[in-house]
Amino acid sequence: MLISMNWISEFTDLKGVDLKELINRFTLSTAEVEDIYEMGKDIKDVVVGKIIEINDHPNSKKLHLVKVDIGTEVVDCVCGAPNVFVGAVVPFAKLGGQVGDLLIQEVKIAGETSKGMCCSEKELGISEDNSGLMILDENLPLGKDIKEIYQIEDTIFEVDNKSLTNRPDLWGHYGIAREISVLTGRPLKPLSLMDTSVYKDLDPIDLKVEEDEKTFRYSCITVNQISVKKSPVNMRIRLTYCGMRPINLLADLTNYLMLELGQPMHAFDHGKVSKIRVKTFSKPVNFLTLDGVERTIDTDTLMICDEKEPVAIAGIMGGELSEITDDTTSVLLESANFDGTSVRKSAVRLGMRTEASARYEKVIDPELTTLAIERFLKLLLEIDPGAKVTSSLTDCYVKKYETIMIRFDKTYVDKYTGIDISSDQIENTLTALGFEVRRDGNDFEVKVPSWRATKDVTIKADIIEEITRIYGYDNFEIKSTMSLLTPIRHDVNREDEYRIKQLLAERFSLHEVHSYIWYESKLNKEIGIVTEPNIRIINSVTAENDTIRSTMIPSLLGFVYKNVDHTPEMGMFEIGRVVEGLKEDGLCNERKKLAIVLASKKLSEKEVYFKVKDIITQVVNTVKNMKPTFSRDDKLKNYNYIHPINNASIYLKGENLGYFSVLNPRVRNKIDKKLNVVYAEIDIENLNKVVAKEISYLEVSKYPGVTIDLSLLTDKEMIYDTIAGYIKEYTCEYLKSFRLVDIFEDEKLLPGKKSVTIRFEFVSMERTLEGQEIQSMVDGLLELLKEKGIELR
Amino acid sequence: MLENLEQLKLKFNHELNLVETRDELEKIRVAFLGKKGLVTEELKNLRNLSGEDKKTAGMQVNKLKNEIEQAIVSYQTVIEEKEYQKEIESAECYDYSIPSENEAGTLHPITIVQRQIEDIFKTMGFIIEDGLEVQTEYNNFEAVNIPKNHPARDMQDTYYLENGQILKTHTSAAQNTIMRKYGAPKPGEPLKVLFPGRCFRNENIDASHENTFFQLEGMMIGDDISISNLIYFMKVLLSEVFKRDVKVRLRPGFFPFVEPGFELDINCAICGGDGCPTCKNSGWLELLPCGMIHPNVLRMGGIDPDRYTGFAFGLGLTRLAMMKYNIKDIRLFNSGNLKQLKQFTN
């Protein structure tokens, strides 16, 4: 919002105030000032001049040679304005003067000498009007500097609208002036108003508020015999400087009042609108707004109507048919207060946020409506003394906000602020802001002024803000808290997450990625991934990505596809969220997962498979000090990207942690036929359920151990876990450990069989084992294995 | 006999001079000192002598034996040295400039920045908490004092799910859960929590807009937490984050979940506060929203606002990572593009 300092100084004295410092204070205490514009500094030596003679220009039909009397002399000047006439009093820029970027010098225009320039309003920067010369009051003294007559020089500052969201009182100059008066410590002058009680005996307007849910207050009055069409220059300058286009007196006055008090007003042509009905329609209606657009109005949108026909969209925009025109001499003036939420929603639905609707959205003070009418009349009658008020002030006050009283004491303020602000200062600040303060020592009871009581200030904490922002946060003494020295809670799971990330990145050279929480359906289709239905987003702007993922694997496979052309050797991981359907209470079953994918063209599929298995084992072992077990089971879902044979579930202490799998060739070939891809998904929460094993140190034997490699002949289908299981059945206190050394397969040498070489270590804590003893242990083991169909090769 | 020993000595020295390898040396050792070696033979011959002669001769033979033994040992060192020399001289010279092939893995830039910030807060006694990404409307809105009809709740910004839940629009969605989890703090032991998280806004993506981004929020609740404390913590923490002595400035700002609410600015690092294009000549950069937790929010979190006060602040983690790494296009973060992401070696 643009704020004029000239306008402000009408309400509070700014003489001798350092404006830059004031604006800085305003930013720190009230709202952010984004920009400061110095207006009129580029207008110099423009004086009142009278055109006393006009001659044709010998070389141009459009240009004229004019003589301008500027009091002290008569100056020759070439003028191209269409509205030039003898006797016209105009702003005249003298030699050496300045108009905007133009420095006035003696020049030849089409061969004729010009020693100055007659100016339009636009050239002076005071309006957009460039249709011709600005015609001044003929009684003005010739030669007088125009800046001494009109408020061309002004400081305009732009306040960030966002920072005014919760301050409905600051959407007009008077409210800003109140803040500034508090910041400068100077008084705020009362508004000059027209007393409307003198019209109380006139007939009221026929007004009915039929929709009282959406209306707080509707005030109106009619005025006839208005003859002045154009607003005074200073008013037009202010409107222009504050971003509004001057139109005609009545429209300008409504805008002026909105900028001054923050109260939107609307002027209907009284000849076309004589009754007011505030209502909604039971069926959608078409309505032509004053911007010339025909709109369909839905049944939730509050409308202002004459007898039957709509004449305005309440709080948003008037209609073209009842608009003020140059012929209008009588007006029905609306000053109303509509429900902010309703106006906002209507404005959003209609796609038309206006200056008025923006103010209603902020929930403005309903006390303003009659005040604005009284101010309007005051200004109108000053400008046009012949105008006649023809109705009483008609006012339907539907809903009044309750008076808000707040009690607090200094202790509360001290505790909240952490500093010592004196009770006197508290009282002074609140009083200056318009609060009625009742104080008993350090106890306060304050009444919130109506302009802050619509939603802004309701509780004690709001009072703290009022006191502290005026005190100034930059004046705060800053202090640490006093608290007991206590150990910080140690979050093992969170640490583990970082350890896993670090392990994957640093030891296994994987890259961490982030992917979206929904399936990217186009991409999935491209690489042939079929996902199961899951809970969906109902309003996504990218409608095709509306299904929340139940697994992260498609996301990562999508990344494999995106990277394969430039980085075929890749490893990626992500710790992210999925939703596995709904829980019993109807809420999403959100899970945290670790997904890993490895792809390679250099390594064989089998190598990649075992690399992934190794990674999983190391991940689990790093955080839990235990190795996971793997098995094939039927719990896996039948996703089309899972390899039906080369997959395995991961278990730890009975918890199912997830699975890993070779990429199904059907999907693989869509990504890249030569790419070997293996992926894994681990449920982090299930992993967290398992308590990590403590380190338990075992004494090492002082005596040498004996290792023996045995090559065992088994059926080809027998997996290592089975063999290991049999070996574990053999109870022998000296068999300390065993591990796989080699698997040898040769269809010719060992048809249907394979040779599995396992290294056994025998050791005793008490003595060196004898050769014979060991032999009998080996024999015992082999005997057991023989029963299981495993022979020594 | 003594001449014989002289000759033996000469013979040994002569033969030793011809030795080049360890094997040849061993042969000489055997030839002189072995079981049937020449010196050994002389020792055997001693039994043919007697008395003073035997004693003298014995001393001489033993002396010779010692001399030969020592000569062999020291010559052995010489030969070993020669052999090492030979191996080294014939070694292949490796090209140290051949690039190492093993490429390091990387963490996501968000993880790196998040971790750094978490570490700073941990040293100040903050607990780190994790929230859900799918939230109830209550947690995301009502519980942080954003009632129905508030503009922030207009449908278009929020992803709504079929079951009425939403994807959280800000980390504040975790406030209520955290307050309820820890309850009212004990006297002198304020609750200090930091909760980073992924947030979602239903909007189209371009270089500066993402629908999925990270925020980080912190709060401190206790029986005497004040605005003065808030300024202190922000100044100290942000100085750590930016690794310089940061100046902070508070301005009034409106956020439903705090009262009073502030916009916090820090002095511009580029110009040091004098004004430059980066800070639009103000000397200050708007960094984060913060404020004293709204009494309604405390109450809904089961904490009595008449006894306890607290402050909260939020920080755009994604924005911070962009600042830190000079990332111009926000789409990098969720792209999975390894050409970009593998630069974040930490």
Side-chain angles (χ1 to χ4, degrees):
Chain A
M1 198 171 64
L2 297 163
I3 300 297
S4 149
M5 276 302 182
N6 285 340
W7 207 333
I8 295 295
S9 62
E10 225 175 83
F11 306 123
T12 184
D13 185 10
L14 291 178
K15 271 196 202 82
V17 172
D18 178 344
L19 283 191
K20 222 178 158 194
E21 173 52 31
L22 175 64
I23 286 168
N24 183 44
R25 265 289 19 115
F26 189 86
T27 289
L28 292 180
S29 293
T30 308
E32 190 185 9
V33 174
E34 289 186 312
D35 259 311
I36 301 170
Y37 309 99
E38 292 295 345
M39 310 302 284
K41 287 265 192 286
D42 55 356
I43 304 295
K44 276 187 204 139
D45 277 336
V46 179
V47 300
V48 178
K50 187 175 191 172
I51 293 171
I52 53 171
E53 192 182 322
I54 303 179
N55 294 306
D56 288 344
H57 191 291
N59 305 322
S60 164
K61 278 186 183 167
K62 279 186 184 167
L63 297 174
H64 295 98
L65 304 179
V66 299
K67 289 192 186 297
V68 185
D69 180 358
I70 56 170
T72 50
E73 57 179 319
V74 173
V75 187
D76 289 319
C77 156
V78 177
C79 178
N83 65 335
V84 64
F85 62 95
V86 173
V89 176
V90 298
F92 179 78
K94 295 197 288 186
L95 286 183
Q98 184 183 352
V99 174
D101 294 334
L102 187 67
L103 298 172
I104 307 298
Q105 289 163 323
E106 187 174 316
V107 286
K108 292 224 160 161
I109 300 175
E112 295 295 322
T113 302
S114 183
K115 294 179 178 175
M117 185 173 102
C118 301
C119 307
S120 70
E121 289 192 7
K122 184 169 184 180
E123 280 160 340
L124 294 176
I126 62 178
S127 87
E128 289 300 302
D129 187 357
N130 206 24
S131 61
L133 296 179
M134 180 181 183
I135 305 299
L136 304 175
D137 183 345
E138 56 193 27
N139 299 319
L140 290 172
L142 300 184
K144 189 166 172 117
D145 194 311
I146 193 107
K147 282 160 82 171
E148 290 173 28
I149 303 165
Y150 300 120
Q151 294 180 339
I152 291 174
E153 237 177 63
D154 199 355
T155 301
I156 302 292
F157 66 92
E158 183 162 18
V159 184
D160 173 26
N161 285 349
K162 215 173 71 226
S163 67
L164 298 177
T165 311
N166 213 40
R167 290 294 303 272
D169 62 313
L170 297 185
W171 285 77
H173 278 72
Y174 195 67
I176 300 276
R178 184 185 296 113
E179 285 288 317
I180 286 177
S181 75
V182 178
L183 297 178
T184 57
R186 297 181 182 191
L188 177 73
K189 296 175 191 166
L191 283 167
S192 169
L193 304 171
M194 185 76 207
D195 179 8
T196 49
S197 65
V198 299
Y199 311 121
K200 68 176 189 300
D201 295 331
L202 296 175
D203 286 340
I205 297 166
D206 181 358
L207 162 69
K208 282 202 185 89
V209 176
E210 295 173 10
E211 169 56 83
D212 53 10
E213 273 301 302
K214 295 178 162 68
T215 315
F216 277 75
R217 191 178 189 183
Y218 198 99
S219 314
C220 48
I221 202 161
T222 55
V223 186
N224 280 5
Q225 296 175 41
I226 301 160
S227 57
V228 176
K229 302 294 175 201
K230 205 168 181 186
S231 320
V233 176
N234 278 344
M235 184 178 282
R236 280 186 286 133
I237 292 175
R238 282 191 189 170
L239 289 173
T240 304
Y241 284 1
C242 293
M244 305 225 64
R245 192 168 54 89
I247 304 162
N248 54 46
L249 176 63
L250 290 170
D252 290 354
L253 266 174
T254 58
N255 285 334
Y256 191 83
L257 258 296
M258 180 173 70
L259 294 182
E260 185 166 277
L261 296 180
Q263 171 66 52
M265 300 183 97
H266 188 70
F268 296 103
D269 187 329
H270 187 31
K272 289 163 188 156
V273 180
S274 54
K275 294 175 182 174
I276 294 290
R277 300 287 177 266
V278 184
K279 58 184 262 190
T280 51
F281 283 88
S282 53
K283 280 183 204 154
V285 291
N286 287 339
F287 179 60
L288 185 62
T289 45
L290 55 75
D291 53 0
V293 180
E294 170 109 12
R295 298 169 193 273
T296 305
I297 308 297
D298 62 30
T299 56
D300 279 336
T301 299
L302 189 67
M303 298 296 291
I304 311 301
C305 304
D306 193 356
E307 186 83 74
K308 281 179 191 146
E309 293 300 311
V311 292
I313 308 172
I316 300 176
M317 195 181 272
E320 191 170 72
L321 299 177
S322 58
E323 193 186 1
I324 301 292
T325 64
D326 285 346
D327 302 329
T328 306
T329 56
S330 69
V331 66
L332 189 156
L333 182 65
E334 163 197 297
S335 183
N337 191 293
F338 305 111
D339 176 61
T341 304
S342 160
V343 170
R344 174 170 59 81
K345 289 191 167 169
S346 295
V348 168
R349 285 198 304 272
L350 287 162
M352 49 187 313
R353 273 187 95 226
T354 58
E355 288 280 339
S357 77
R359 282 172 173 79
Y360 281 120
E361 274 179 22
K362 308 302 180 294
V363 191
I364 49 180
D365 177 12
E367 291 296 315
L368 281 175
T369 62
T370 47
L371 189 78
I373 287 178
E374 293 182 328
R375 177 74 177 151
F376 185 100
L377 293 177
K378 177 81 185 169
L379 295 175
L380 174 65
L381 293 170
E382 270 173 18
I383 296 163
D384 189 349
K388 290 265 175 303
V389 174
T390 54
S391 77
S392 63
L393 175 61
T394 311
D395 183 22
C396 182
Y397 208 149
V398 183
K399 275 184 283 185
K400 217 168 184 160
Y401 284 94
E402 277 181 36
T403 304
I404 300 173
M405 303 295 295
I406 298 172
R407 284 165 185 273
F408 63 94
D409 58 19
K410 184 176 183 303
T411 319
Y412 173 77
V413 180
D414 289 348
K415 182 176 158 176
Y416 224 95
T417 57
I419 57 170
D420 181 12
I421 301 176
S422 74
S423 285
D424 284 349
Q425 197 169 354
I426 293 171
E427 182 179 355
N428 292 342
T429 301
L430 292 174
T431 306
L433 286 168
F435 290 79
E436 279 175 34
V437 180
R438 279 221 302 262
R439 176 181 158 200
D440 180 9
N442 289 328
D443 293 327
F444 292 83
E445 186 179 34
V446 298
K447 181 182 162 196
V448 181
S450 64
W451 59 87
R452 303 295 303 277
T454 55
K455 65 165 184 180
D456 176 13
V457 179
T458 52
I459 55 171
K460 281 196 287 187
D462 297 323
I463 296 292
I464 296 291
E465 170 158 43
E466 297 306 303
I467 298 166
T468 53
R469 68 187 181 85
I470 300 298
Y471 181 85
Y473 299 110
D474 47 343
N475 295 323
F476 264 64
E477 182 196 350
I478 63 172
K479 280 183 283 195
S480 171
T481 47
M482 295 289 287
S483 51
L484 301 177
L485 206 52
T486 48
I488 304 158
R489 213 175 292 230
H490 189 63
D491 187 344
V492 180
N493 293 340
R494 198 163 185 91
E495 287 301 309
D496 284 352
E497 240 177 75
Y498 275 122
R499 287 171 76 191
I500 290 171
K501 287 183 179 184
Q502 213 139 344
L503 179 82
L504 293 174
E506 290 176 4
R507 174 153 177 201
F508 295 106
S509 296
L510 304 189
H511 299 285
E512 188 187 9
V513 294
H514 283 170
S515 60
Y516 293 108
I517 196 171
W518 43 76
Y519 288 128
E520 296 198 61
S521 63
K522 260 191 210 159
L523 191 62
N524 284 347
K525 210 170 202 176
E526 222 173 305
I527 53 179
I529 287 179
V530 181
T531 54
E532 63 177 351
N534 199 20
I535 186 153
R536 291 185 348 204
I537 300 168
I538 56 177
N539 65 331
S540 178
V541 292
T542 39
E544 75 269 18
N545 297 338
D546 65 347
T547 305
I548 301 291
R549 65 183 176 189
S550 57
T551 158
M552 303 214 300
I553 299 304
S555 310
L556 264 66
L557 291 175
F559 285 164
V560 169
Y561 179 58
K562 284 182 182 172
N563 283 295
V564 66
D565 287 341
H566 53 81
T567 316
E569 304 300 310
M570 66 182 123
M572 286 181 277
F573 74 96
E574 176 176 8
I575 292 182
R577 312 297 178 94
V578 305
V579 171
E580 291 179 345
L582 299 183
K583 294 182 292 184
E584 276 179 13
D585 57 8
L587 298 178
C588 287
N589 181 24
E590 180 177 331
R591 310 289 300 181
K592 193 187 271 187
K593 300 272 183 178
L594 163 65
I596 295 170
V597 60
L598 236 62
S600 178
K601 286 186 177 175
K602 280 190 201 154
L603 300 179
S604 71
E605 187 181 270
K606 189 173 176 180
E607 284 169 320
V608 179
Y609 176 91
F610 282 105
K611 208 168 161 186
V612 170
K613 192 197 154 179
D614 183 38
I615 291 173
I616 295 165
T617 306
Q618 294 306 327
V619 163
V620 174
N621 195 39
T622 298
V623 295
K624 297 298 176 193
N625 193 24
M626 283 180 279
K627 290 203 167 71
T629 56
F630 296 85
S631 76
R632 292 281 309 285
D633 56 34
D634 303 331
K635 284 181 187 158
L636 272 190
K637 293 211 168 134
N638 193 22
Y639 297 126
N640 79 325
Y641 46 87
I642 290 183
H643 194 287
I645 294 184
N646 284 322
N647 70 66
S649 294
I650 309 160
Y651 287 89
L652 185 67
K653 289 260 161 193
E655 281 300 333
N656 182 349
L657 300 186
Y659 74 103
F660 76 109
S661 172
V662 166
L663 179 60
N664 192 303
R666 292 177 185 91
V667 176
R668 180 201 62 206
N669 280 7
K670 293 229 167 83
I671 294 176
D672 188 315
K673 282 181 184 150
K674 289 180 187 151
L675 196 68
N676 296 310
V677 183
V678 181
Y679 56 84
E681 188 169 49
I682 290 176
D683 190 300
I684 293 283
E685 287 156 65
N686 282 350
L687 180 65
N688 288 346
K689 277 192 214 159
V690 182
V691 180
K693 201 175 108 190
E694 295 283 333
I695 295 170
S696 56
Y697 173 71
L698 286 178
E699 201 62 55
V700 175
S701 178
K702 285 178 281 200
Y703 304 94
V706 176
T707 56
I708 292 173
D709 288 359
L710 298 176
S711 291
L712 304 169
L713 209 54
T714 74
D715 281 346
K716 205 164 193 169
E717 287 74 28
M718 189 177 284
I719 64 168
Y720 178 75
D721 266 359
T722 310
I723 306 168
Y726 295 151
I727 294 169
K728 280 177 192 155
E729 284 177 26
Y730 181 63
T731 44
C732 167
E733 62 168 316
Y734 301 125
L735 176 55
K736 186 170 166 262
S737 65
F738 62 94
R739 67 181 176 88
L740 179 66
V741 176
D742 182 46
I743 295 176
F744 174 75
E745 289 177 68
D746 188 316
E747 209 32 57
K748 275 183 197 155
L749 278 174
L750 310 166
K753 296 272 180 188
K754 63 181 170 187
S755 166
V756 179
T757 304
I758 295 175
R759 180 164 300 163
F760 297 86
E761 187 187 8
F762 296 93
V763 70
S764 155
M765 293 298 288
E766 295 94 25
R767 59 196 168 79
T768 306
L769 295 173
E770 305 280 333
Q772 238 179 348
E773 266 182 297
I774 292 163
Q775 191 53 53
S776 69
M777 286 187 273
V778 170
D779 290 346
L781 175 64
L782 287 174
E783 202 168 314
L784 181 139
L785 290 176
K786 199 169 181 181
E787 285 167 22
K788 312 287 185 188
I790 299 171
E791 303 256 8
L792 188 64
R793 190 185 163 203
Chain B
M1 169 140 204
L2 292 177
E3 298 99 81
N4 208 4
L5 290 181
E6 274 305 308
Q7 276 174 5
L8 262 181
K9 193 172 176 180
L10 287 173
K11 180 177 164 69
F12 173 78
N13 284 341
H14 174 70
E15 288 185 14
L16 188 65
N17 277 335
L18 301 175
V19 164
E20 284 206 340
T21 68
R22 243 185 273 204
D23 287 350
E24 288 167 6
L25 188 66
E26 180 60 13
K27 269 184 200 158
I28 290 182
R29 195 191 63 79
V30 174
F32 285 84
L33 303 176
K35 273 183 188 167
K36 288 175 184 171
L38 295 170
V39 178
T40 317
E41 288 301 319
E42 289 299 328
L43 278 170
K44 284 178 190 164
N45 290 340
L46 284 178
R47 61 189 162 199
N48 303 329
L49 299 176
S50 61
E52 203 57 24
D53 285 350
K54 189 174 181 177
K55 198 178 170 188
T56 316
M59 278 167 63
Q60 293 294 336
V61 176
N62 272 318
K63 189 176 165 227
L64 178 63
K65 189 188 167 201
N66 284 341
E67 279 172 8
I68 289 176
E69 274 174 351
Q70 263 177 19
I72 287 175
V73 168
S74 55
Y75 206 76
Q76 195 160 2
T77 321
V78 173
I79 287 175
E80 274 175 14
E81 194 47 45
K82 267 189 190 165
E83 282 180 350
Y84 283 136
Q85 205 57 40
K86 216 166 146 186
E87 184 189 331
I88 288 167
E89 277 163 13
S90 63
E92 184 197 343
C93 177
Y94 306 134
D95 179 355
Y96 55 81
S97 67
I98 288 174
S100 140
E101 259 196 32
N102 221 344
E103 200 178 81
T106 51
L107 294 176
H108 195 276
I110 294 287
T111 299
I112 298 170
V113 175
Q114 181 176 332
R115 180 103 213 234
Q116 285 166 354
I117 294 182
E118 284 183 12
D119 283 348
I120 292 166
F121 279 81
K122 274 198 272 188
T123 63
M124 303 269 286
F126 278 72
I127 304 164
I128 317 292
E129 273 288 333
D130 221 0
L132 292 171
E133 291 184 356
V134 181
Q135 279 287 3
T136 58
E137 273 197 274
Y138 178 82
N139 278 340
N140 197 77
F141 294 125
E142 266 99 335
V144 287
N145 206 30
I146 306 175
K148 291 220 160 60
N149 286 331
H150 191 280
R153 292 183 66 163
D154 282 353
M155 278 281 281
Q156 61 263 29
D157 296 335
T158 308
Y159 286 111
Y160 280 83
L161 303 186
E162 288 168 317
N163 68 342
Q165 282 190 285
I166 59 166
L167 299 182
K168 76 163 182 267
T169 62
H170 51 187
T171 39
S172 306
Q175 283 192 9
N176 190 268
T177 312
I178 292 170
M179 285 183 204
R180 294 200 170 274
K181 175 175 171 184
Y182 292 99
K186 288 186 213 144
E189 291 181 49
L191 172 62
K192 291 181 275 188
V193 209
L194 186 77
F195 38 111
R198 194 154 81 142
C199 306
F200 306 85
R201 292 275 162 89
N202 191 8
E203 61 181 10
N204 286 309
I205 297 179
D206 60 32
S208 49
H209 296 91
E210 242 296 354
N211 52 35
T212 304
F213 54 93
F214 281 79
Q215 285 183 346
L216 181 146
E217 192 160 322
M219 62 184 180
M220 184 161 171
I221 301 170
D223 43 13
D224 63 347
I225 303 299
S226 66
I227 297 172
S228 177
N229 300 150
L230 162 65
I231 305 174
Y232 170 83
F233 269 85
M234 288 293 97
K235 185 175 159 55
V236 171
L237 291 167
L238 293 172
S239 293
E240 278 299 307
V241 171
F242 291 98
K243 304 206 172 11
R244 65 185 173 96
D245 186 19
V246 164
K247 286 197 189 103
V248 303
R249 177 178 94 161
L250 297 192
R251 292 181 281 116
F254 174 70
F255 310 98
F257 29 89
V258 283
E259 187 60 51
F262 312 110
E263 291 281 5
L264 183 144
D265 302 335
I266 58 169
N267 59 331
C268 177
I270 312 254
C271 61
D274 297 333
C276 68
T278 307
C279 58
K280 287 194 233 153
N281 280 318
S282 69
W284 297 95
L285 284 178
E286 186 172 319
L287 185 72
L288 58 84
C290 57
M292 300 296 287
I293 302 171
H294 197 287
N296 291 351
V297 176
L298 288 173
R299 195 176 294 118
M300 284 183 275
I303 294 175
D304 180 3
D306 289 329
R307 275 193 64 191
Y308 301 97
T309 47
F311 64 75
F313 57 90
L315 188 62
L317 204 52
T318 300
R319 190 180 148 222
L320 197 67
M322 290 176 85
M323 275 165 75
K324 189 176 168 89
Y325 297 114
N326 200 17
I327 296 168
K328 300 273 190 293
D329 190 332
I330 198 170
R331 288 170 292 195
L332 166 141
F333 294 100
N334 298 325
S335 68
N337 184 341
L338 293 181
K339 276 198 268 188
Q340 296 172 320
L341 290 171
K342 70 183 177 189
Q343 297 174 36
F344 295 93
T345 47
N346 202 30

